[in-house]
Amino acid sequence: MNYVELHCHSNYSFYDGASFVDELLNRAKELDYSALALTDHDNLCGAMEFSNHAKNLKIKPIIGVELSMSEGQHLTLLAKNIEGYKNISRLISYNNMSADLGVSDDVLFKHLNGVVILSGCSKSHVNQLIKSKDTKKIKEFLAMYSEVLGKKNFFIELQQNLVKGDIGRNKTLISYAKYFGIDIVATNNVHYHVSDRSKLQDILTSIKNGKPLDESHLYLRNNNQFYLKSYNEMKYLFSSYPESLLNTCKISEMCELDLQRDIEYTFPEYKVPNGYTQQTYLEKICFEAAIRKYGKITSKVENRLQEEFHLIEKHKLAGFLLIYHDIIELAREVMIDLGLTDPEIPLEERPPGRGRGSSVAMLVGYLIGLSHIDPLTYNLSLNRFLPNEMDIVPDIDLDFPRNIREELIKRVHLKWGSSHAVLTGMFSTYKEKGAIRDIGKSLGLPKVELEKLVQFSNTGLKKTLSEEIFNETGLNINKKNHLWNELVDIVSQIKGFPKYLGQHASGMIISTSPIDDMVPIQPANISGRYICQWDKKSIEQARFIKIDFLALGTLSQMQEILTLVDKKTGNYIDLTRIDFNDQAVYRSMHSGDTIGIFQIESAAQIQTIKRIKPINLIDMAYEVACVRPGVGVNDGVSQFIRRRNGEHWEYDHILEEKALNSTLGVILFQDQVNKLAMEIGNLSEMEADELRRAFGWKRSNDIIESYKTLFIKGATNKGLSRDIAIKIFKKFNGQYMFPESHAFAFGVTAYHMAWLKYYFPLEFFVSIFNQQPMGFYNLETLKEDAKRHNVVVKNPGINISNVTCSIVGKEMLLGLNIIKNLGYKTSEIIINERHSKGFYKNINNLISRTGINYAQTKNLIYSGALDSLGFSRRDLIWQLGLFESKPDNQRLMDLDFQDISPVLSGKNTWKEMLNEYSSLGLYPNGHVMEHVRKQLGDKVIPSNKIERFSSGSFIFTAGLIIRRQRPLSKAIFLTMEDEFGHIPLMVWPDIYEKNKMLLSQDLIGISGIISKREGTFNVIVHGVWPINNFSHFTQSKDWQ
Amino acid sequence: MVENTRKTYGIDENIALNVPILINVIESKNKFPKEIQIKNKFIKVLSVIDLWHVYGEWWKENSVNRMYYRINSDDRVIILFKNIDSNLWYLQNDY
């Protein structure tokens, strides 16, 4: 192949590239390319992915960029080596971090080492000058570039995309190239791998410019010629200038960068006090903490510590763990500053965060404040976190309350600096719903039908979009309109396309070498934060060490409960010292009273906890582990519960015993996959771990197959029959499971929350209202649950409420910030004004003092917050009407409403309820079903009476649908709520399809058959009927 | 007085300008125009000055997929195009 494409955009050019990196490379392979460049607009987002995939295909990856210069002109830069790559990365970072728009020549010229520059596309400086026919400036520009860059590193770029003017422009460029003795090079300005993708390219351009295709002619490319062309096509187009093709190969030879090999990442060195090595210093910290924790170093503690120290030393992880210790210390400083702990309290006594994941199994982690679980108490195995053999640095994930995490991120940036500590990037990608909306809008398809289609899609049913469009009876679609077919095609192409670079939920990278030497950095949307242009996967491939700080709503809730209890009782509860065998708490869980409790509150989790009936923390770990897709996929949950309840069972082979003994022969934890692979298949620790991870990778079939062969061979060598070996191998799957230690960590947190809910329900509900959004349920459902715990929820009051919900006596008073359109800021203005100038007397007084607008005042009235002003809500709405058309600057008249208000008829409870639902998202004084019940008749059974019916009974029931879910099974699960509790509904796909529209409504009635097992029940839906089409009762949390 | 107040005036009612005229073209081996027949007169193509491809409007009933040629004949410059989907040639401009 005598041509290398050196100007190529992937979909990481964000709306200006219509192919994935792997699509481009696979096409390049088909066309027999020996090398290919990636030159996305102003970023290296795809560089690592491209580099890796190219190497797998034995194509030489050339990394570059199409850089925006100071007047918006484009310039093509390619990295010859790591120096050139660093310079490109720095230039992009400069572009992102400085206030300048684009890179100036001066800045560019300081970053030329190792870089080859091509003069660029039709938007380049030189081509813009040619367009304006400014000969003098063209000559000045080319003279300067060829002199500064040197003629070996600067090429005049010719493009022939069969666009009007290409021929003339190329002729002019060639004449200048000859004049200055600059070499020419051909590129095709590739924006997609095959010409068919030009439609998607047009769509992306239309989306980018926010205009439908019909109004996008100015922005669209003229044709579909911007695809990856074969050598013969390029040879034909550049037949007059063959050297321009040969030069592509010459440049390719100049580029010798191997990104994975050449990148220079080092984790920061932890500086230890004199006289210590990192290892001895870590050991010292651990022994001191162990004495504080246990009183003395017992042989059990000593043995475990020595085992861990040995592995830490072997894998050179002491410095790594000490850096974590440093971060935890930083978090502790945050806690102290927020008044959440005392400097006198040792770190391990009140750790600022909680570990999750396999790292929780480490005693060292417990002692240096990385985790809240004592692994000795629960006999947690180290293997998964610190195997004897390993080639990667282990992951440590830390959970923090939101406020601590926010501040911690800032302090990590401060401590290491923005060029040495950045957040991992994350690409927001196109999913089906967004794709239907955006593409449909571009195509000019009717909005109403598109929205219906969005509603029908993504229910988890394995229907194709085409089936949805052409067979769905609820859609009023003109099937002859070819645009619906185009929609189907383009939606399938765009799925997974990156929309923008955002911030990963938790990952941070800390590095000794400047990060912008390795990957460009940019400010995040939140001020004071910086992100890099690589996502988690690229970071892993670059072998960066990622530290995960996660914000966990439940920890924020826990912190608020503890503070509220402390305020009330003067006693800050130490959750490490509560009774973990409190059977009253466990009994409350057995009854399914777990709404709002981390990890055990979903319908599936409630049903499982009723069947498992945990009585200690080990059972809690089983409960938490059970409701994971990887356990359910092989019917593991039911099997485990049946066996717990005494069902006879046997191992498929006795060699399974060591791995599966504790979980009755069922795989509940990730670690057990590793153990089983080692025990049965004789795989090494590393092989077993790679096998487990390979199940979760894309395109990993070959790896899994090779391990399967190895596993079967190992198993048969150990005396298993081939059939049994295959049977055991089939127990492995790619669905997610928790590591054992992770399940313990979450199980403990779940118990903590259950304990707090049981003993401090008022504080529990106040805090969960204040920490929204979190959890599985909306405020209405939480309020209903609060009522069942004798917590009275009061409507907000303009003269009594705080910004957030608060405790008044023994009741919960809603805060103003939950009122629609008010938010935290306006609520604060209202409260501050009240504190400084006294109570609000009437609506006029409120509006004039706070400047709140019509919609905000209306919602205050609807929510009941103005009831204390002495008027009915109808009167208040009438009074508000007097202000509706007030010009902005006109002063309000000081009206005495008492005299001018008309006499309005009495209150309408139904209307008031609807208004409360729409302004608050809940109805504090009751439930909609209390009103509806009267009209339904006796045949409609309320939730509290359903359990009296036997399995198989046919019943009618009704309520609000508060949650829709579709796990891996075929059925769809809905949670219905009435004034007494919840009714779990199961809908088979055929029934769902027939009743899709009705089932998307809030308030419905259903008929169905009761199905009971092990103390739980479901109603299997047969029919659905409408009750009321009002659709603003609550916001159901669906398909999460 | 307006005859029909509800009538929408759109593109069909406008006078179309510069409408391409269907012509006969003899093609060379590489499918370039070699001779053009305009009003019963055959004109030889001396050289192709420029060529470009236009592809678009694919979302409409009639998409556009044309190869344009700006050619030199002995006495004038002509712009013509071939409709790639129908293989028909049209005269766009005759200067």
Side-chain angles (χ1 to χ4, degrees), chain A residues 710-996:
Chain A
L710 203 65
F711 178 90
I712 293 168
K713 195 178 162 199
T716 47
N717 285 345
K718 285 191 169 190
L720 278 81
S721 73
R722 190 180 153 79
D723 287 349
I724 292 292
I726 290 171
K727 191 178 176 189
I728 294 173
F729 192 85
K730 276 188 182 165
K731 294 179 185 178
F732 306 154
N733 66 74
Q735 301 298 330
Y736 184 67
M737 279 184 278
F738 280 160
E740 185 182 20
S741 42
H742 185 97
F744 271 88
F746 275 13
V748 170
T749 304
Y751 180 82
H752 280 152
M753 294 311 290
W755 189 89
L756 289 168
K757 184 178 181 185
Y758 186 80
Y759 288 107
F760 301 98
L762 181 56
E763 289 76 9
F764 180 91
F765 285 105
V766 168
S767 63
I768 202 166
F769 266 62
N770 285 340
Q771 296 298 335
Q772 291 298 312
M774 65 171 282
F776 277 61
Y777 299 102
N778 55 50
L779 290 181
E780 171 70 2
T781 300
L782 292 171
K783 180 264 310 179
E784 282 296 295
D785 197 40
K787 267 166 54 184
R788 287 190 283 274
H789 289 81
N790 301 318
V791 172
V792 176
V793 179
K794 303 292 283 181
N795 287 62
I798 196 76
N799 284 325
I800 50 171
S801 278
N802 292 328
V803 174
T804 56
C805 301
S806 52
I807 295 171
V808 176
K810 290 181 177 175
E811 296 173 343
M812 180 199 322
L813 176 65
L814 292 176
L816 294 184
N817 74 329
I818 68 163
I819 300 171
K820 199 175 156 193
N821 290 346
L822 239 58
Y824 198 90
K825 220 171 172 183
T826 310
S827 305
E828 209 170 39
I829 291 169
I830 295 171
I831 306 284
N832 288 343
E833 170 65 21
R834 189 182 79 207
H835 284 160
S836 65
K837 293 185 185 150
F839 290 147
Y840 298 104
K841 290 173 192 142
N842 56 39
I843 202 167
N844 180 2
N845 181 246
L846 171 68
I847 295 171
S848 59
R849 283 168 65 187
T850 58
I852 56 172
N853 63 30
Y854 179 84
Q856 290 168 330
T857 318
K858 190 177 84 178
N859 283 328
L860 275 164
I861 296 168
Y862 281 170
S863 72
L866 304 190
D867 287 358
S868 63
L869 298 181
F871 294 96
S872 75
R873 293 182 199 177
R874 289 194 72 192
D875 290 337
L876 289 166
I877 288 292
W878 184 90
Q879 291 167 16
L880 178 64
L882 298 175
F883 301 103
E884 193 176 6
S885 55
K886 179 186 79 69
D888 281 351
N889 297 321
Q890 190 179 320
R891 282 193 62 179
L892 292 163
M893 284 169 67
D894 194 11
L895 297 168
D896 185 351
F897 294 112
Q898 210 74 49
D899 298 335
I900 62 166
S901 292
V903 179
L904 298 171
S905 58
K907 77 176 191 178
N908 177 335
T909 319
W910 174 257
K911 193 85 203 290
E912 281 196 359
M913 176 196 72
L914 295 185
N915 288 340
E916 287 191 23
Y917 274 120
S918 64
S919 61
L920 290 169
L922 73 155
Y923 178 43
N925 298 310
H927 192 278
V928 57
M929 283 303 293
E930 288 167 17
H931 294 274
V932 173
R933 177 80 56 204
K934 297 163 207 161
Q935 303 153 22
L936 295 176
D938 294 344
K939 276 189 179 173
V940 177
I941 314 295
S943 61
N944 59 345
K945 290 187 179 159
I946 288 181
E947 285 200 76
R948 292 180 200 168
F949 289 79
S950 57
S951 199
S953 307
F954 186 82
I955 60 149
F956 293 92
T957 189
L960 273 180
I961 298 296
I962 57 167
R963 198 167 171 83
R964 297 168 177 86
Q965 269 182 301
R966 187 173 191 284
L968 292 170
S969 55
K970 282 182 190 165
I972 286 153
F973 290 89
L974 311 178
T975 306
M976 182 178 260
E977 182 185 77
D978 68 9
E979 69 274 42
F980 301 106
H982 292 178
I983 307 153
L985 308 178
M986 198 168 104
V987 193
W988 290 111
D990 55 334
I991 301 288
Y992 186 82
E993 281 304 314
K994 274 188 213 159
N995 299 286
K996 225 172 183 180

